[in-house]
Amino acid sequence: MRLPAFALTLIAAATLVGIPGCGEGGAEPTTGPETGARADQASGPSRPPSERPVAKVAVIGIDGATFSVIEPLIAAGRLPNIAALMERGAAMVLRSSEESDSSPVLWNTIVTGTGMATHGIIGFTRRTDTEVDGEVLSSYGIFTSQDRKVPALWNMVTSRGAFVGVLGIWNTWPAESVAGYMVTDRFAHTLWEDTSERRALAQTTNAGVTWPAELAGLVSAQVRPPEAVRREDLEQLGAFTDAEWDVIVHSGEDGDVQVGNGLRALRFGYQAQESVGGASVTLLDELEQPDLFITFLELPDRVGHHFWHAYRPDEVRGGAEQVEAGWRERWGEVLPRAYEVTDRWVGEIVSRLDPSTTILLVSDHGMQSSGSPGGRLDQLSRMAHSGKHSKDGILIAAGPAIVSGARTEATLLDVAPTVLAAMGLPGSRQFEGRILHELLDKGHLRRFPPGPAQSEAELERRAVEHTEGLDDAYMEQLRAMGYTGAAGEDVWDNRADAPDAPDPAGEPRDG
Ligand SMILES: [Zn+2]
């Protein structure tokens, strides 16, 4: 494989962290002197060279993916890549957490194998109280990787002598020094707000957006700024009038944070997913596939929240006649088409993975009707959330570690233990879930024996510079999505058993 000249700096950096160059076959287990040599070159946390064979695993996270949408679309032949994985592998509900419905909490549970009391990411924003002249002032910021109290899969893979690549997962900024690479959540999300100063800040300082820092040079061309969204791209989802397109491109420019703007959510959700999808494909093309590859696609969640009533008007409280005429005709296809776009990314990623890779498609929760009829068709910048999270997420698994057609009861807590077992790496004593043994092929486990669970070393801690401006941009977008209030306080209350969804014309928060 040829590497473009601009990648040379990166490759130098990659050699330092132990990613071999391209072109090595991945089908055979890596073991013995080669693995030792790779580990010896690694910088970052010191770790013993791996003596064991390591099997490749890839986790593709799809925020809010739900079988109630996937199954009918597969029946209609519209999600060929997800269908292919289900056909050759196993598919089952992944039960979400009872303790929260907040995506940062749930994704941190997935990657640490622990509940939020253990991992410490308890919502969208963290409150800091400072006392000034006897008065307590509260300020809010986004949880960072430094707030996570326990190691995540990437730390565990590193300490076990294997290699990892991570993209887009919530609260991964600032990037941790892993054996391999990280592209944090801020890669796409710091660019949510359209000011050139902020963007320049993100690009010139790097500011912990990737590990190693030089990786930014390889993936920065994949960033899709929200204001650069192309009409022909978004028209894959639906047809817009010129006035609607104007709302998509220009709303919020005056600094007004519009809560519940479904059209604007399309623009940010689409561009963020394109950014992370593009970076995923670039890294799989340019660098050898790491032992564990994790990436994140977010469009189904954004679209599900805003367009559920148009897709399934019959699920609205009081019946389909509560939904204003025209919603289904004009916007009923937005959600299915968002899944089609996401399915294409799944195909792009899977086609680049070595055939020896075991692939897991996981969602942090499912999606269902909130009961709300969505709002007025002539006020698309002010929509209620007509979709809300459900407890039934998805787990689709395929590849050499998986028993085809297997099924079991699985929860978010079981993902991390199962990933390490499928890789043939020791589990962790911190895990609060179980290895999903019913899914794992016994022959594979004999070839890649995980060995006994081990304790984790303390996480490296460093001072985090909260770059002013970058935090602001992220916070404003969380507010626009209805996750936080005006001061940044966490107001998310989207429990499956939550009381009635806000009325489109009523409450200020449309979460
Ligand atoms: Zn959501």
Side-chain angles (χ1 to χ4, degrees):
M1 187 180 305
R2 267 188 60 212
L3 292 166
F6 69 82
L8 291 178
T9 321
L10 171 73
I11 299 310
T15 308
L16 283 176
V17 295
I19 306 169
C22 299
E24 288 178 38
E28 292 302 310
T30 51
T31 184
E34 190 213 359
T35 306
R38 288 165 64 183
D40 287 342
Q41 292 168 359
S43 67
S46 64
R47 60 208 170 78
S50 176
E51 304 275 311
R52 59 182 65 252
V54 179
K56 289 199 185 319
V57 171
V59 177
I60 302 174
I62 307 179
D63 206 293
T66 193
F67 281 122
S68 69
V69 178
I70 289 173
E71 281 171 351
L73 292 180
I74 283 182
R78 294 178 63 177
L79 306 177
N81 298 297
I82 295 174
L85 290 172
M86 286 175 70
E87 190 156 320
R88 68 184 173 94
M92 68 220 73
V93 163
L94 185 65
R95 185 77 182 159
S96 193
S97 167
E98 295 302 327
E99 59 187 4
S100 174
D101 268 327
S102 171
S103 284
V105 177
L106 304 176
W107 284 106
N108 277 282
T109 288
I110 288 171
V111 297
T112 63
T114 71
M116 69 179 182
T118 304
H119 66 60
I121 308 298
I122 58 170
F124 285 98
T125 52
R126 148 181 51 62
R127 191 177 84 193
T128 308
D129 291 338
T130 13
E131 208 180 308
V132 181
D133 299 333
E135 207 181 324
V136 177
L137 298 176
S138 298
S139 61
Y140 299 88
I142 292 164
F143 283 105
T144 75
S145 61
Q146 303 296 288
D147 294 313
R148 204 186 65 244
K149 294 190 215 154
V150 293
L153 277 171
W154 42 91
N155 310 108
M156 296 175 193
V157 167
T158 297
S159 69
R160 285 155 177 75
F163 292 86
V164 66
V166 182
L167 296 99
I169 298 289
W170 281 95
N171 314 108
T172 43
W173 179 87
E176 294 164 86
S177 51
V178 297
Y181 54 80
M182 294 195 80
V183 176
T184 65
D185 49 335
R186 299 223 168 178
F187 172 67
H189 293 174
T190 48
L191 304 170
W192 270 346
E193 201 52 38
D194 316 341
T195 74
S196 55
E197 298 82 43
R198 283 170 178 168
R199 185 149 315 134
L201 197 62
Q203 287 174 349
T204 56
T205 65
N206 187 256
V209 173
T210 66
W211 169 268
E214 293 83 352
L215 194 80
L218 186 53
V219 293
S220 62
Q222 301 304 320
V223 169
R224 299 284 206 96
E227 77 280 6
V229 66
R230 291 182 304 208
R231 192 160 176 168
E232 68 263 32
D233 281 347
L234 273 199
E235 287 197 332
Q236 296 175 85
L237 305 178
F240 307 99
T241 64
D242 288 346
E244 287 159 356
W245 185 249
D246 197 57
V247 171
I248 289 176
V249 176
H250 295 297
S251 67
E253 276 180 355
D254 51 4
D256 172 32
V257 178
Q258 292 182 308
V259 178
N261 186 332
L263 290 183
R264 196 160 176 248
L266 286 186
R267 159 189 165 194
F268 285 110
Y270 183 85
Q271 293 293 82
Q273 175 162 296
E274 290 289 303
S275 301
V276 175
S280 301
V281 163
T282 298
L283 291 175
L284 288 172
D285 280 344
E286 303 293 343
L287 298 173
E288 190 191 334
Q289 183 185 331
D291 300 310
L292 175 61
F293 179 80
I294 304 177
T295 190
F296 182 68
L297 302 169
E298 66 177 81
L299 189 59
D301 181 77
R302 301 290 198 93
V303 175
H305 279 300
H306 288 97
F307 291 91
W308 195 274
H309 63 291
Y311 174 56
R312 299 264 172 85
D314 47 310
E315 293 175 8
V316 165
R317 191 173 47 249
E321 61 272 22
Q322 303 302 317
V323 178
E324 199 179 323
W327 268 108
R328 179 173 229 165
E329 292 72 18
R330 288 220 49 209
W331 304 108
E333 273 291 301
V334 176
L335 185 61
R337 289 181 186 174
Y339 271 73
E340 288 179 315
V341 168
T342 305
D343 180 77
R344 284 207 289 279
W345 276 120
V346 170
E348 293 289 340
I349 292 162
V350 168
S351 70
R352 286 166 169 82
L353 297 173
D354 189 277
S356 69
T357 308
T358 294
I359 299 159
L360 269 60
L361 245 54
V362 300
S363 67
D364 55 334
H365 54 73
M367 191 69 73
Q368 64 188 348
S369 172
S370 71
S372 164
R376 282 169 51 184
L377 199 48
D378 63 355
Q379 286 190 357
L380 291 171
S381 61
R382 184 156 175 71
M383 294 158 67
H385 277 190
S386 60
K388 69 174 182 179
H389 297 179
S390 80
K391 290 297 178 196
D392 289 348
I394 68 160
L395 172 60
I396 296 168
I402 302 299
V403 178
S404 181
R407 276 199 125 136
T408 189
E409 296 205 351
T411 77
L412 300 187
L413 291 169
D414 306 327
V415 174
T418 305
V419 164
L420 288 189
M423 295 178 75
L425 292 177
S428 173
R429 297 216 175 101
Q430 92 180 23
F431 286 153
E432 294 166 10
R434 69 184 184 97
I435 297 170
L436 298 171
H437 278 290
E438 304 90 324
L439 307 185
L440 296 177
D441 180 78
K442 291 198 171 45
H444 179 87
L445 290 175
R446 272 195 298 276
R447 284 178 69 214
F448 299 96
Q454 63 186 52
S455 304
E456 304 306 319
E458 286 245 329
L459 282 170
E460 266 190 310
R461 291 295 173 200
R462 56 200 144 118
V464 181
E465 216 176 293
H466 283 268
T467 318
E468 215 181 318
L470 295 185
D471 252 10
D472 292 350
Y474 206 156
M475 292 286 288
E476 279 170 31
Q477 188 57 20
L478 287 179
R479 194 182 149 211
M481 291 191 292
Y483 297 160
T484 61
E489 73 278 17
D490 202 320
V491 295
W492 182 247
D493 181 19
N494 190 23
R495 299 184 311 272
D497 60 350
D500 289 352
D503 190 83
E507 299 306 307
R509 190 181 75 80
D510 293 6

